[in-house]
Amino acid sequence: MGGKDGRHRGPGLRSRGRRLGRPPVAETRWRTRPRPASARARTTGARPGSGRTARAPRARYATRGRRSPTGRPSRPSWYATPSRRSIGPPDAGSSTPTPPHGASRGSPSSSGSPPPTNRRPRHERRGRSPPPRGRRRRPGGATRHVRQERAILRRGARGGSRVRATIFHRPGQVSVEERATRQPAPGELRLRIAAAALCASDVRVYRGEKYALPGVVPGHELAGVVDAVGEGVDDYAAGDRVVICPIIACGRCRFCARGRRNRCASRRTLGYDLDGGFAEQMTVPRELLELGHVLRVPPSLPLEVAAIAEPVACTLNSLDLLGVRPGSSLAILGAGPMGLLHLLIGRASGAAPIVVSEPVAERREIARRWGADIVVDPESEDLEASVRAQTDGYGADAVAVSVGVARLATQALQIASRQGVVNLFAGFPPGATIPLDLNALHYAEIVLSGSQNATTEQYRRAVALLSALPQVSELITHRYGIEQAPEAYASRLQLSGLKSLVEFPGVDGR
């Protein structure tokens, strides 16, 4: 019978004897010379009266092609010499008793023979602390997938180049450091990043309101040029201009089966769980290619604008949930980058009238220029009265809350029409709550929902739509090089401008 190490095990110790429930027979006919004491298997005792027999423990350096400390090929424990194989009860005429239960390894046997000489454990020989027992996750450590990816990165970086990348360390701390690059593994490709935009979710991570893995490269809104492809990648070639849907889904759960990969139970996202686009280069994982989440960009669309594909796809998901169609009245609370995208795409979808509420004068002016029918300053005007005046007293058919301020959710319910839909598009601080009149929802049949990210199909629609929305480029008000990337966080925290972009000149070739 063959063992796991590929050697013939014979009919004895590990096979026939144990399977039949009786003490295995010591087989010694294959043994030709004694093993040195330093590599010899030691015996362990059995509890007296337990009915169990003593067994020979597996050799320390057995199997898997490793060699013993003496330099000779290792052998499994069943290949021990007869003098050391204390298996089964001793013969009646034998003067050598079974070692007592609890005898420590390396302690003298009851026969008085000296203990075998053993090398110290590896961690002691190397001056290290002993390894932890069990499968413990290090406090604050990376997930298994991230540890594997970083190990691949370290192995592939030997002799490779170095790139500059923005690293998220903890809330309130990001820095620009060097990272090693590697050649893409089979099924992967590598991008030279042309542009990556800072999202409001990135700002929430910076504030500590949302989790991201310490040490990760942020940036899930990105566009770039294929730099190298791994073995087996036939659909892409160096020089292709692409954008990324940053979601890695399992492809098997019921949400994935329905095409809602953004709701996958085991979802991972670039910029939070895996390295994103705030770096000169990025390796695209094999799973993203298999899911079809690498999308080509039309030649006429600049990559700095294509980087906005992710927020455009999220806005399409929101408007689809709200049921916006030609003639629908739409109210938008907040005229930041996402609120303005709701305005722009809602107007292109035929929504009318559109009411925008925004306290910042600069943003109110942009909303008027982009086609809002009514723009309200909520600090000095009555929002509910303005909405009902524009909708013949009914209220808005659809209400999008694009700012993560809890009190705005209460306002949204007040201005919604009967059978209207309210979507909490923005994320809120942890533990945010509002007082809710349940009868107001019940008798008015108001639908209250939320939306987060988008489907693959909505990403494809977003890439196609960007070419027809030239105003989108006006969202980009701040541009930074990679060395100034931490300043992009500061500008968003101060509500300065609209969209901040980290760009890498020359990559797009324009």
Side-chain angles (χ1 to χ4, degrees):
M1 180 177 293
K4 291 184 179 180
D5 57 355
R7 303 173 187 268
H8 184 75
R9 302 179 67 148
L13 179 64
R14 292 282 181 179
S15 55
R16 187 167 175 267
R18 285 196 171 181
R19 189 169 62 251
L20 297 179
R22 62 173 178 264
V25 179
E27 297 288 347
T28 62
R29 61 173 177 259
W30 299 286
R31 185 67 176 147
T32 59
R33 60 184 178 183
R35 297 182 67 192
S38 60
R40 192 176 298 159
R42 298 179 296 276
T43 48
T44 57
R47 186 188 301 275
S50 64
R52 299 177 59 185
T53 60
R55 62 181 178 84
R58 184 169 297 179
R60 177 180 177 85
Y61 291 90
T63 73
R64 300 188 182 178
R66 292 177 288 184
R67 301 182 71 86
S68 69
T70 62
R72 294 178 178 175
S74 60
R75 296 181 174 90
S77 57
W78 53 266
Y79 201 84
T81 61
S83 61
R84 301 299 298 170
R85 292 184 71 178
S86 302
I87 53 177
D91 296 335
S94 174
S95 61
T96 304
T98 302
H101 173 69
S104 61
R105 300 180 65 176
S107 60
S109 64
S110 58
S111 62
S113 59
T117 58
N118 301 309
R119 297 186 71 182
R120 292 180 301 163
R122 181 180 300 177
H123 68 271
E124 292 184 5
R125 298 198 308 270
R126 298 183 178 181
R128 298 177 180 174
S129 58
R133 295 185 177 181
R135 298 182 61 184
R136 298 178 183 176
R137 181 173 175 178
R138 289 167 288 182
T143 62
R144 175 173 59 88
H145 302 284
V146 175
R147 292 199 302 272
Q148 289 174 348
E149 180 166 312
R150 290 177 178 173
I152 293 173
L153 184 62
R154 288 193 296 270
R155 290 196 299 268
R158 297 167 184 169
S161 60
R162 311 283 291 183
V163 298
R164 302 292 286 173
T166 302
I167 312 297
F168 168 77
H169 297 284
R170 62 182 62 87
Q173 182 181 353
V174 294
S175 63
V176 179
E177 303 173 10
E178 281 194 347
R179 277 284 180 95
T181 61
R182 63 178 176 89
Q183 290 297 319
E188 298 179 339
L189 59 82
R190 189 176 66 195
L191 293 183
R192 286 185 297 139
I193 303 299
L198 189 70
C199 176
S201 296
D202 297 320
V203 178
R204 292 182 61 213
V205 170
Y206 186 82
R207 288 173 173 165
E209 298 175 358
K210 189 174 181 179
Y211 177 78
L213 191 70
V216 76
V217 177
H220 57 277
E221 302 177 5
L222 62 103
V225 177
V226 176
D227 178 55
V229 297
E231 181 182 352
V233 178
D234 301 323
D235 298 333
Y236 301 91
D240 287 350
R241 306 164 72 246
V242 297
V243 297
I244 305 294
C245 170
I247 296 171
I248 297 179
C250 70
R252 299 181 300 273
C253 68
R254 66 176 181 177
F255 298 105
C256 291
R258 297 171 183 170
R260 307 293 301 187
R261 292 173 181 168
N262 54 317
R263 297 276 62 81
C264 175
S266 56
R267 160 185 162 180
R268 293 178 290 150
T269 308
L270 299 184
Y272 301 96
D273 307 300
L274 301 170
D275 287 344
F278 283 2
E280 294 174 317
Q281 291 183 352
M282 187 192 80
T283 300
V284 179
R286 170 182 51 83
E287 295 90 338
L288 284 179
L289 277 76
E290 293 175 347
L291 292 169
H293 287 187
V294 181
L295 310 175
R296 286 187 173 84
V297 176
S300 60
L301 185 63
L303 287 181
E304 65 176 22
V305 178
I308 312 297
E310 193 269 354
V312 171
C314 296
T315 303
L316 287 172
N317 186 26
S318 174
L319 293 174
D320 288 350
L321 186 148
L322 288 168
V324 172
R325 58 186 183 275
S328 298
S329 56
L330 173 63
I332 303 168
L333 305 188
M338 302 312 301
L340 291 172
L341 281 176
H342 275 78
L343 167 60
L344 197 59
I345 301 175
R347 177 61 74 193
S349 302
I354 299 179
V355 180
V356 175
S357 173
E358 170 57 48
V360 180
E362 178 185 5
R363 296 181 174 184
R364 289 200 301 269
E365 182 58 34
I366 297 175
R368 291 189 185 94
R369 192 168 70 248
W370 283 14
D373 295 290
I374 295 294
V375 180
V376 177
D377 180 359
E379 296 180 351
S380 61
E381 300 178 65
D382 189 336
L383 174 61
E384 183 177 1
S386 300
V387 170
R388 296 198 180 277
Q390 291 293 315
T391 58
D392 297 330
Y394 289 107
D397 298 324
V399 184
V401 181
S402 69
V403 183
V405 178
R407 58 182 174 82
L408 295 184
T410 303
Q411 283 188 347
L413 294 172
Q414 294 171 350
I415 65 176
S417 170
R418 292 172 180 264
Q419 294 189 328
V421 182
V422 175
N423 181 32
L424 304 180
F425 177 83
F428 295 84
T433 60
I434 61 169
L436 183 62
D437 185 352
L438 298 178
N439 279 328
L441 269 68
H442 171 73
Y443 288 106
E445 297 183 357
I446 295 175
V447 176
L448 176 62
S449 183
S451 66
Q452 198 273 334
N453 216 290
T455 66
T456 308
E457 179 58 30
Q458 288 163 340
Y459 272 89
R460 294 193 181 98
R461 289 167 53 194
V463 173
L465 184 61
L466 278 169
S467 299
L469 297 175
Q471 300 97 321
V472 169
S473 60
E474 296 183 36
L475 288 175
I476 305 171
T477 56
H478 292 69
R479 300 171 187 268
Y480 302 90
I482 184 62
E483 300 298 334
Q484 293 78 39
E487 299 177 16
Y489 287 87
S491 66
R492 289 303 306 272
L493 289 171
Q494 298 169 3
L495 299 179
S496 175
L498 295 173
K499 204 76 174 168
S500 297
L501 194 74
V502 177
E503 57 183 359
F504 303 87
V507 174
D508 197 6
R510 293 173 180 265

